[in-house]
Amino acid sequence: MLTATFLAGWGGVAVGVAGALALAVKVIWGPGAIATAFPAGSYSSADCARWLAGYPQYGTCQQAMVADHADDVIRNAAIALVLGLLALGVRAMLRRAWHDGSRPVLESAIGAALALLVALGSAGIAFDSVTVTHGHGAGQPIAFAVAAALACVGLGRAAMRAAARPLLARRPA
């Protein structure tokens, strides 16, 4: 249970950080750097009217759709951040209730490995987006790759510290 809340918590925080990075990308380069439009004709006129009503400043249905999708990415990341923080809060309460002051090495090592997989996968998606669509929609996977890489480094350091603790305890004074 502690491992699950640890991984869910830090995963949610990493996604939240990615959302903050995506927001920065959107502010700097616009919604098209975060999301791409559906192909023309793959949406109904009602969808188009809804997107234009929500984003009249964008002028065209496709531009309004991209803005809506970019905001969805950022909103979902914010929700993941809140859920991640809640999971970490639950973990802290469980640790106190179980009087478990140690952090297993495996918990951090598994988190680091999973974060590395997310970072590599997101970097691959970003590379594909840059090379295939000339960067349209690359902001989201770039933000995820950066956030996951940071999570990997942090979790890796935690695993190394946890692994070194027993070795330090055995050293003679």
Side-chain angles (χ1 to χ4, degrees), residues 111-173:
L114 292 173
L116 178 62
L117 290 174
V118 171
L120 293 174
S122 297
I125 293 168
F127 178 79
D128 181 65
S129 182
V130 167
T131 58
V132 174
T133 65
H134 307 289
H136 293 285
Q140 178 184 8
I142 289 171
F144 277 122
V146 170
L150 291 172
C152 179
V153 169
L155 291 167
R157 287 185 66 210
M160 289 188 297
R161 280 194 308 268
R165 239 181 258 132
L167 297 175
L168 295 174
R170 284 186 263 160
R171 286 188 180 164

Side-chain angles (χ1 to χ4, degrees), residues 26 31 34-38 43 50-51 55 62-76 140:
K26 179 186 171 205
I34 304 297
T36 56
F38 299 147
Y43 43 86
R50 180 177 50 84
W51 289 317
Y55 300 90
Q62 283 195 326
Q63 289 174 335
M65 176 198 320
V66 169
D68 182 63
H69 293 336
D71 286 348
D72 284 345
V73 168
I74 295 163
R75 185 180 317 106
N76 291 342
Q140 178 184 8

Side-chain angles (χ1 to χ4, degrees), residues 3-106:
T3 300
T5 55
F6 177 81
L7 294 175
W10 284 111
V13 169
V15 171
V17 169
L21 293 171
L23 177 61
V25 166
K26 179 186 171 205
V27 167
I28 295 168
W29 292 292
I34 304 297
T36 56
F38 299 147
S42 63
Y43 43 86
S44 69
S45 58
D47 287 333
C48 189
R50 180 177 50 84
W51 289 317
L52 282 170
Y55 300 90
Q57 69 272 27
Y58 288 101
T60 70
C61 185
Q62 283 195 326
Q63 289 174 335
M65 176 198 320
V66 169
D68 182 63
H69 293 336
D71 286 348
D72 284 345
V73 168
I74 295 163
R75 185 180 317 106
N76 291 342
I79 292 167
L81 173 64
V82 170
L83 293 175
L85 292 173
L86 286 173
L88 290 174
V90 167
R91 181 177 188 275
M93 289 187 297
L94 288 174
R95 281 183 68 166
R96 270 188 245 116
W98 293 343
H99 304 292
D100 180 14
S102 65
R103 172 192 238 153
V105 176
L106 190 57

